[in-house]
Amino acid sequence: MTLTLAQTLKKNTHKVIRRCYIKRRLIDGTYESNWQRIDFYRSRDQVIDWGAFSLEIDHNPGDIGTFEISSLQMQFVNTEGYWNVESDSHSIWAPSTTYLNRKLTKLKIESGYLDSSGTEIGVATVFEGVIDKVAMSEEQVASVTVLPYSSVLTHYLITDLALTGSKTVSQVVNAIMNQSKITTFIPYVAASPTNNKTVTDSASLSGNYWTILKQMAQLSNSIPMLVGTVWSFAPRTQTSEIKWSFLGAGTQFPDIFKITKFDDEGAERVRTVFQCDDDSGGKITVTSEDPILVRKYLNDPQQIDLQSIDLSDRLPVLQSYLSYWEKSRPILEFTSKFMVNILSTLDKIRIKSFGRVLPIGGVPRWGDGSAWVDTSIWGRLTGSINILNQSYMVTRVQKDLQNWVFAITAEKIV
């Protein structure tokens, strides 16, 4: 019987799959129809280093409504000159009368697992983007920088849409995303913002598409997310179902390799004061009504740019931010098995990890089902990290394709 990906991840030994493909641009600017495999090319393994990349929401404390995907740095064997400029006859991009240059070539990576019979399990595209640059070395190595498709959104200015009049957040977002020059890379999905506020003068918007999308996310308390080629503009809320239950130290079958950092308060992300401009040169300010929180964190006002929406809408937006960010949330960072696409940002997970138990030597803990030999002896948890079946929301995932691990950052759901 073929195992599921989840069942495979529970095993202790794995056979992994990694494949890399490209689609070159033709001389007319379109892309070739089929993906060309390049990690194993002309009967030889070509990849020296598969690299790593990350997906993250709210990557800077207080920088609200943001989503970032890092670039991917790969290294390929280049002894035959396959990665050379298109004017070189050895290049994959030769002849130059057929293919354009290497920049903006599409590149994707598939990964997954093999079972003992050689059946593929859970194989999926984990990264897709466009080549930005290729650098050579005397060691016959080509270092390739690949940018996520979100980078395409930085190449165009919002003014090219010639928007006029009032537009809702979803109308602005959809106007950007539902264009052929964008859907060539990112399939269109209609926006579903948390609060579909109205931009009073869309003609006054300025900046590139990606800047505007993040601005619209801030206005509507939403997140613009791109996972591979799957686009969404939706609320910043965790998934309803638990995507994975992680087991750490002190459990029978741990799948957390190491907890690298545990901020048991999450103080740096707390904001007790939010502020925006009004229309007369003054400020609109909301402050936590909890005096203990205000005394504990003494935050400077977190400034939010809400000038593009009506004055009457600004206070409710600030209040919606305050209701979330005034609460402290412990932050956990840990490494685990490579989970392909099982986990992404906003996913809800469960964590169980014990610290030291005193007295030691197998003393039972209350509720673990063990028979009590001497009820006068009670085990108790000590140490700095004790997380007992608590729910967290993933805020960052680093997929390390070279070392085949996930590095996960999550904030406690309170």
Side-chain angles (χ1 to χ4, degrees), residues 253-303:
F253 300 108
D255 52 11
I256 292 176
F257 294 157
K258 183 179 181 181
I259 293 178
T260 54
K261 181 180 178 181
F262 182 47
D263 178 352
D264 59 358
E265 184 178 7
E268 70 172 8
R269 296 174 68 86
V270 174
R271 296 293 184 272
T272 57
V273 185
F274 283 87
Q275 195 171 74
C276 71
D277 294 330
D278 62 19
D279 290 338
S280 60
K283 298 288 186 180
I284 302 172
T285 304
V286 295
T287 303
S288 174
E289 295 181 357
D290 187 327
I292 301 298
L293 285 177
V294 173
R295 285 197 295 271
K296 282 175 68 175
Y297 296 110
L298 299 174
N299 285 157
D300 293 328
Q302 177 70 41
Q303 300 292 328

Side-chain angles (χ1 to χ4, degrees), residues 85-103:
V85 68
E86 66 274 5
S87 58
D88 186 326
S89 61
H90 298 95
S91 172
I92 299 173
W93 286 267
S96 58
T97 53
T98 301
Y99 302 106
L100 285 176
N101 57 342
R102 296 162 295 185
K103 191 177 180 68

Side-chain angles (χ1 to χ4, degrees), residues 244 246-249 254-261 332-339 343 349 351 353 396-400 403-410:
W244 196 265
F246 285 97
L247 301 176
D255 52 11
I256 292 176
F257 294 157
K258 183 179 181 181
I259 293 178
T260 54
K261 181 180 178 181
L332 183 69
E333 297 178 10
F334 63 95
T335 55
S336 186
K337 299 175 182 178
F338 195 92
M339 307 189 74
L343 281 185
I349 59 176
I351 305 289
S353 185
R396 182 179 185 270
V397 175
Q398 183 192 57
K399 299 185 180 186
D400 189 335
N403 297 304
W404 204 248
V405 295
F406 263 34
I408 298 168
T409 302

Side-chain angles (χ1 to χ4, degrees), residues 156-227:
Y156 304 102
L157 297 177
I158 191 65
T159 50
D160 70 17
L161 295 179
L163 298 176
T164 59
S166 62
K167 294 283 189 295
T168 64
V169 165
S170 60
Q171 286 175 323
V172 173
V173 173
N174 293 341
I176 292 172
M177 300 305 298
N178 196 16
Q179 302 177 75
S180 60
K181 63 186 179 185
I182 303 302
T183 57
T184 296
F185 304 95
I186 306 170
Y188 172 73
V189 177
S192 300
T194 309
N195 301 307
N196 200 19
K197 300 298 184 182
T198 298
V199 176
T200 54
D201 181 14
S202 59
S204 67
L205 295 174
S206 63
N208 63 52
Y209 287 176
W210 188 235
T211 297
I212 298 301
L213 288 169
K214 291 191 288 187
Q215 183 180 342
M216 293 301 103
Q218 191 172 81
L219 297 179
S220 62
N221 201 1
S222 305
I223 291 288
M225 282 190 23
L226 181 62
V227 182

